[in-house]
C-alpha cells in the first residue's frame, strides 16, 4: 500500500503559524482601541499609552512562547 500524500517536515511550524493568529489579532485590537481612546481623551495619553505598551508586551510574549514550543516538543 502506498501513501498518496506524505507529511514531511516539522508540523510545529504549522502550529506556530496558527498560534501567531491570536497575538496578531490581540495587537490589532490593543492599538485600535488605544487610538480610539486617545481620540476621545487626549489628556489621558500617558496612561493610555502605558497600558497599550503593557498589553502589547503580553501579546508578544504569547507569540514568542508559541515560537519556542515547536522546537521544544517538535523533535521526537
Amino acid at each position: 500500500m502506498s501513501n498518496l500524500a506524505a507529511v514531511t517536515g516539522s508540523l510545529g511550524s504549522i502550529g506556530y503559524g496558527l498560534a501567531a493568529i491570536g497575538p496578531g489579532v490581540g495587537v490589532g485590537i490593543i492599538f485600535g482601541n488605544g487610538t480610539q481612546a486617545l481620540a476621545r481623551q487626549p489628556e489621558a495619553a500617558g496612561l493610555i499609552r502605558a497600558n497599550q505598551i503593557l498589553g502589547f508586551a503580553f501579546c508578544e510574549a504569547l507569540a514568542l512562547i508559541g515560537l519556542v514550543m515547536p522546537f521544544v516538543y517538535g523533535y521526537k
Side-chain angles (χ1 to χ4, degrees):
M1 184 170 155
S2 66
N3 292 335
L4 294 177
V7 178
T8 61
S10 175
L11 291 177
S13 59
I14 295 172
Y16 173 66
L18 294 174
I21 293 171
V25 170
V27 168
I29 290 171
I30 287 169
F31 285 108
N33 289 336
T35 303
Q36 287 182 1
L38 284 170
R40 292 179 185 205
Q41 286 188 325
E43 66 274 3
L47 180 63
I48 293 168
R49 192 168 293 121
N51 286 332
Q52 277 184 316
I53 291 171
L54 186 65
F56 174 75
F58 286 144
C59 283
E60 287 302 312
L62 288 175
L64 290 175
I65 290 170
L67 174 66
V68 171
M69 285 303 122
F71 294 113
V72 172
Y73 295 113
Y75 300 110
K76 289 187 178 182

